[in-house]
Amino acid sequence: DAKTTQPPSMDCAEGRAANLPCNHSTISGNEYVYWYRQIHSQGPQYIIHGLKNNETNEMASLIITEDRKSSTLILPHATLRDTAVYYCIVRVGYGGSQGNLIFGKGTKLSVKP
Amino acid sequence: DVKVTQSSRYLVKRTGEKVFLECVQDMDHENMFWYRQDPGLGLRLIYFSYDVKMKEKGDIPEGYSVSREKKERFSLILESASTNQTSMYLCASSQLPGQKGSEAFFGQGTRLTVV
């Protein structure tokens, strides 16, 4: 079973920041938080990941709470092309059979003009 | 650019046929995955491999098997296709988790219809 909880859907106005929450209250010390998104009819696409520090790349920012029990993915200026299902995943930080990716239901983000 | 290539985009097979879905990655990744995706159910992990000849069952392995004879290739096998295996199948590969570049890369998917 997925170890994360996300709202099933969210709306965001074009040009505004989209803040997507994720709860992972049972996360353990060696688990990373990963975010992916899936645009309709395409394979999932990696966005960002982190362990405990906040992370930023050209696509998004990831804010992880100090207790690591939740995180927020921020798309700073959402566009219509950001409409997708966003998945938050926790994954252990070592190899072997524990390194698999388990997807939950995700959040369907709709960016509206 | 990393490429994960699935052999077919669309496939139609008959009930009872043995079906092979092939996936090849060109980034020397250790981990490879097979998922199926169905409306309302999201992505569900079928099988996972973290090394050549190694495999682990995911959440829904029944009716499927896999083969990883070479690092770059991970095959999903439907031993005797059934209509409830009609689905979108997605392959992915990744480096070891936590490492730089450990994100997973997905293929474009194979939409399999079993009639």
Side-chain angles (χ1 to χ4, degrees), chain A residues 32 34 36 38 41 43-44 46 49 87 91-97 99-103 105, chain B residues 9 31 33 35 37 40 43 45 48 50 56 90 94-98 102-104 106-108:
Chain A
Y32 287 70
Y34 283 76
Y36 288 80
Q38 188 175 23
S41 297
Y46 166 81
H49 77 281
Y87 297 97
R91 186 186 187 198
V92 295
Y94 54 82
S97 62
N100 54 3
L101 285 165
I102 303 295
F103 284 78
K105 299 283 178 68
Chain B
R9 193 73 198 268
N31 297 332
F33 311 81
Y35 295 87
Q37 186 170 30
L43 280 93
L45 183 65
F48 162 61
Y50 55 92
E56 290 272 342
L90 287 156
S94 77
Q95 270 290 19
L96 295 175
S102 63
E103 62 268 31
F106 283 80
Q108 283 298 91

Side-chain angles (χ1 to χ4, degrees), chain A residues 78-89:
Chain A
T79 71
L80 299 179
R81 285 179 292 184
D82 292 322
T83 292
V85 178
Y86 287 77
Y87 297 97
C88 169
I89 299 164

Side-chain angles (χ1 to χ4, degrees), chain A residues 8-26:
Chain A
S9 63
M10 290 181 64
D11 290 342
C12 178
E14 188 178 18
R16 304 297 291 267
N19 297 286
L20 293 98
C22 180
N23 181 290
H24 31 79
S25 57
T26 60

